[in-house]
Amino acid sequence: MRAGILKADWLIWLGGIGAVAGIGCLVWLNHRPSRHTAVVAAPSFPLPPFSETRYRNAGPDAKFIGAAACAECHRSKHASYLLTAHSAALADLDPTAEPPDGTFEHTLSSRTYRVYRRGDQFRQQEVLHTDQGKEIARVDLPVRYVIGSGHFSRSYLVEVDGFLFESPITWYTQKHKWEMSPGYDFAGHPSFDRLVGVACLGCHAGRVEPGETTTRVSLREKAIGCESCHGPGSLHADLQRTHKTAPGEEDLTIVHPGRLSRERLEAVCAICHLTGATAIPLRGRKYNDFHPGLPLTDYRVDYRFDTESDQMTVTGHIEQLRLSACYQKSADLTCVTCHDPHAKEKPKDTVAFYRQKCLACHETQGCRLELARRLQKQPGDNCVACHMPRGDTDIPHIAFTHHRIGKHGGARPPSPSERVPALVPIDDILHLPAIDRDRNLGLAYSVIADNPQHYRYADVFRERARNLLESVYAAGLREAQTTQALATVCWKRDQARANAYADEALQASDLSIDSRVAALVIRADGLVKEGKIPAAITMLEEVVRLRRNAEDWRVLGELYLKQNQPQKALAALQQAFAIRPYRHDIQGALGEAYRQTGDSARAREYTERAQWLLDHRQQ
């Protein structure tokens, strides 16, 4: 068996922790707790308070009842809602309604993809062959859900063992073809093993509830429905059964977005349409806690880099809009100025429709370009074509309308600078306690440091995270998520400190299941290094019950081999292979397990495959 049970490169395993937890908290700590230190009462840090609101359904007493219940009384509103893309954000897959079967090869990964129907299933297949046609790996799964209305694209989710995973294949409507999903167009991309949890699904489904972990979820309502904008409907439904609201009487049991301040109205949209560099939930909040009627900053802090970008992003509409002079000089311009979620019908002439939106403010001070020249460029005198042009986004193959209203010229190359960008909050967060501002920013830097997009600044970002989170911990904040962040960063630099902080996190009463998984992984590694293999196995056996991750199963399988338990090793490594068959270390370990169980033919087969994967730099 190869020397070394645990790999030196922890990025794969650590990345799994980050995806599950929603924030892969990586920070460095200089002080560890001593088990011999006298116990001193920790300072008290109350959770950040909620803002005042008039609406009763913004509190914990209101329950979600689903769009079908709302439609019983609001049929016309529900009918207009069905015209929106929100109503088709996520749905059960219907094979008869999907794009045609097809195949294509992804050159960078050398994998071949096939989309096909078998019986009542719509399936997607991924295969890797040698140049001579020998099969090295294959994944073939039925699709469970479709994401998106199909106007721009159709993405897919598969379900395995109760967990949801993103498919690496997407149908691009504008190109009318199958290609790689966003974030998959590179050589060692994830296969069908990118976990999709509450944090991801929150913007693609009406109501998502965490199951045993936030990566095993329950879809209470698939489409983005009424309560996503109006808040939970139980109090409103109860009131209407006993008391019909009189004309002019305000019903505060349900949020009316049109009566909210601009800040709170935008929060309803921003929960999904404001995506900066990263977002951190506040202490004591979860990803799906937001209720309309309250500021978004009561639940999370969104961060951007202080280097302004003109790049339009698929989910960056609000940030771009706020850069507009029109927005900054107006008191009421916001998303619903142009986007009516209850329009009775889609506009027949979209150019004229949106032009009238512009003329509502610019009728007396119109476009400075002469009419003749405008009509020469745009026969319909289309304001949007020049001032909100359609262009490429951060996702290949998808073009969106740019939401910064203004003058748009040619693409400006970024000015060269050696300055490392800084994270700044997009919204005003001065209402938060200082210790929470430091905690949130520290966690934000830890997330960014683990993002491959920003690898060149990773060390600087981790140092910033370290400084912030050290000060938070030194001030006495004993929160499991922050402690877990400290344990994770120590894992890379000092195993003893990592062990101490993982132990502290595991003993915390506010430890989430996902943070528990992260702590268990760190402690298992520490136990292996101490030669305590059976104790490490016990911890990893709990981990694999809580998430589906190839690295967890691989390490567990190799530990079984080390304990001379080849049958258990074989079962564990087969699980790792089913999740990610493109890794040479998994196939190599599987070959060793077959050798130890006496199956020499399969041992030779998997060992040869592992060598091919290693030679061809597959992962």
Side-chain angles (χ1 to χ4, degrees):
M1 188 177 65
R2 298 187 314 278
I5 294 298
L6 302 180
K7 296 166 60 177
D9 182 0
W10 289 101
L11 288 179
I12 297 172
W13 211 1
L14 195 58
I17 293 173
V20 169
I23 55 171
C25 309
L26 306 175
V27 280
W28 170 244
L29 181 69
N30 286 328
H31 308 285
R32 69 178 177 189
S34 170
R35 298 184 181 181
H36 304 290
T37 302
V39 176
V40 179
S44 175
F45 296 97
L47 294 177
F50 287 101
S51 302
E52 293 293 329
T53 178
R54 300 186 305 137
Y55 291 100
R56 291 171 52 198
N57 70 329
D61 294 336
K63 308 300 179 185
F64 289 86
I65 59 176
C70 303
E72 292 178 10
C73 296
H74 301 281
R75 296 190 182 280
S76 63
K77 292 294 186 183
H78 185 260
S80 64
Y81 147 78
L82 292 176
L83 297 174
T84 69
H86 289 157
S87 67
L90 186 143
D92 290 307
L93 187 132
D94 176 6
T96 64
E98 291 307 310
D101 295 357
T103 60
F104 70 94
E105 182 175 351
H106 183 231
T107 304
L108 293 176
S109 66
S110 301
R111 303 178 202 174
T112 300
Y113 293 90
R114 178 189 174 202
V115 180
Y116 69 103
R117 290 157 173 83
R118 187 173 73 191
D120 60 352
Q121 291 183 337
F122 183 76
R123 300 183 69 90
Q124 296 182 345
Q125 181 185 93
E126 179 183 63
V127 183
L128 178 64
H129 291 101
T130 67
D131 292 339
Q132 291 73 39
K134 178 183 178 181
E135 183 177 302
I136 298 296
R138 174 187 295 262
V139 180
D140 192 319
L141 293 168
V143 177
R144 180 71 175 86
Y145 298 108
V146 57
I147 297 177
S149 62
H151 183 65
F152 294 100
S153 65
R154 296 175 77 82
S155 295
Y156 300 90
L157 301 179
V158 300
E159 186 174 16
V160 185
D161 298 335
F163 295 98
L164 292 176
F165 299 88
E166 182 181 354
S167 164
I169 311 171
T170 287
W171 173 261
Y172 292 96
T173 307
Q174 295 167 355
K175 300 183 71 173
H176 201 71
K177 64 187 299 187
W178 293 101
E179 288 192 0
M180 302 305 294
S181 298
Y184 285 81
D185 195 16
F186 63 96
H189 66 75
S191 177
F192 290 82
D193 62 327
R194 180 180 283 176
L195 280 162
V196 177
V198 171
C200 298
L201 277 178
C203 289
H204 294 286
R207 191 64 186 165
V208 184
E209 299 289 350
E212 192 176 10
T213 72
T214 57
T215 52
R216 182 177 270 145
V217 299
S218 174
L219 291 171
R220 300 297 185 189
E221 185 171 44
K222 298 182 184 71
I224 297 172
C226 313
E227 293 164 300
S228 297
C229 298
H230 295 278
S234 63
L235 299 180
H236 176 67
D238 291 344
L239 177 67
Q240 294 304 311
R241 291 189 189 100
T242 58
H243 170 74
K244 293 296 181 182
T245 308
E249 180 184 358
E250 190 172 14
D251 180 2
L252 297 179
T253 62
I254 195 78
V255 170
H256 189 311
R259 295 172 184 162
L260 294 173
S261 66
R262 180 161 78 164
E263 174 206 15
R264 299 197 182 190
L265 172 60
E266 282 184 358
V268 175
C269 306
I271 192 68
C272 293
H273 293 275
L274 174 65
T275 304
T278 190
I280 301 298
L282 268 61
R283 188 163 49 93
R285 315 287 201 263
K286 299 188 295 292
Y287 279 100
N288 62 338
D289 277 353
F290 172 75
H291 282 189
L294 288 168
L296 186 57
T297 52
D298 276 11
Y299 296 89
R300 80 180 194 205
V301 178
D302 290 88
Y303 293 92
R304 64 173 177 83
F305 288 117
D306 61 353
T307 51
E308 182 178 312
S309 170
D310 201 46
Q311 168 75 27
M312 181 57 203
T313 60
V314 167
T315 55
H317 310 92
I318 291 179
E319 186 180 1
Q320 293 289 334
L321 179 63
R322 289 175 179 174
L323 296 174
S324 310
C326 289
Y327 178 90
Q328 295 167 4
K329 294 179 181 180
S330 169
D332 55 7
L333 173 63
T334 190
C335 310
V336 296
T337 301
C338 297
H339 301 286
D340 184 351
H342 287 296
K344 294 181 180 179
E345 61 181 3
K346 294 181 178 180
K348 295 181 174 62
D349 185 343
T350 56
V351 171
F353 177 82
Y354 289 112
R355 175 175 164 75
Q356 287 304 313
K357 299 289 185 183
C358 299
L359 291 179
C361 293
H362 293 281
E363 188 173 13
T364 57
Q365 186 179 354
C367 185
R368 296 179 183 178
L369 194 64
E370 295 177 359
L371 178 62
R373 291 185 61 191
R374 296 205 306 270
L375 294 177
Q376 185 178 9
K377 292 183 65 176
Q378 294 289 334
D381 200 8
N382 186 356
C383 308
V384 171
C386 289
H387 297 286
M388 299 179 69
R390 194 175 181 82
D392 293 336
T393 67
D394 55 328
I395 295 181
H397 318 305
I398 294 182
F400 265 19
T401 298
H402 204 302
H403 277 60
R404 180 178 65 79
I405 308 168
K407 295 180 180 179
H408 292 262
R412 298 190 301 270
S415 53
S417 173
E418 294 302 318
R419 184 180 72 85
V420 180
L423 286 174
V424 293
I426 293 176
D427 292 307
D428 182 6
I429 58 168
L430 289 178
H431 65 287
L432 295 176
I435 197 164
D436 282 286
R437 296 199 297 270
D438 286 346
R439 174 251 188 203
N440 298 337
L441 183 58
L443 295 180
Y445 272 121
S446 72
V447 174
I448 290 296
D450 205 33
N451 188 327
Q453 276 186 293
H454 310 297
Y455 72 92
R456 62 180 294 198
Y457 303 128
D459 289 342
V460 177
F461 290 159
R462 289 192 179 102
E463 179 65 14
R464 292 175 181 176
R466 177 186 66 81
N467 290 333
L468 288 160
L469 293 179
E470 277 182 357
S471 68
V472 167
Y473 191 90
L477 181 61
R478 296 297 183 265
E479 178 220 12
Q481 187 173 344
T482 302
T483 306
Q484 178 55 52
L486 296 171
T488 304
V489 70
C490 289
W491 189 27
K492 288 198 167 192
R493 304 189 182 190
D494 187 321
Q495 185 70 53
R497 290 179 178 177
N499 292 344
Y501 281 95
D503 282 338
E504 182 177 336
L506 287 168
Q507 295 166 10
S509 60
D510 60 341
L511 183 69
S512 69
I513 294 296
D514 295 315
S515 292
R516 178 174 180 80
V517 167
L520 287 169
V521 167
I522 292 169
R523 287 303 288 120
D525 180 42
L527 289 168
V528 169
K529 290 171 178 172
E530 295 168 12
K532 300 175 181 178
I533 305 301
I537 286 175
T538 299
M539 288 192 167
L540 286 176
E541 286 174 338
E542 180 179 351
V543 169
V544 297
R545 290 194 296 269
L546 296 175
R547 71 175 181 185
R548 187 175 185 267
N549 179 281
E551 183 69 356
D552 297 340
W553 283 109
R554 182 194 72 81
V555 175
L556 180 59
E558 293 200 3
L559 291 179
Y560 282 139
L561 285 175
K562 195 166 186 176
Q563 289 297 103
N564 297 315
Q565 298 177 336
Q567 290 295 341
K568 284 188 173 183
L570 184 60
L573 291 165
Q574 285 172 337
Q575 288 282 355
F577 177 76
I579 299 169
R580 193 152 178 79
Y582 305 96
R583 285 180 51 179
H584 68 84
D585 52 356
I586 289 175
Q587 293 225 28
L590 194 53
E592 176 63 17
Y594 276 118
R595 187 190 69 77
Q596 292 191 23
T597 55
D599 192 336
S600 58
R602 287 187 176 177
R604 183 169 55 254
E605 175 188 352
Y606 283 97
T607 301
E608 290 175 356
R609 287 182 180 181
Q611 188 60 52
W612 187 93
L613 288 166
L614 184 61
D615 292 344
H616 291 78
R617 298 181 181 275
Q618 292 287 332
Q619 297 183 18

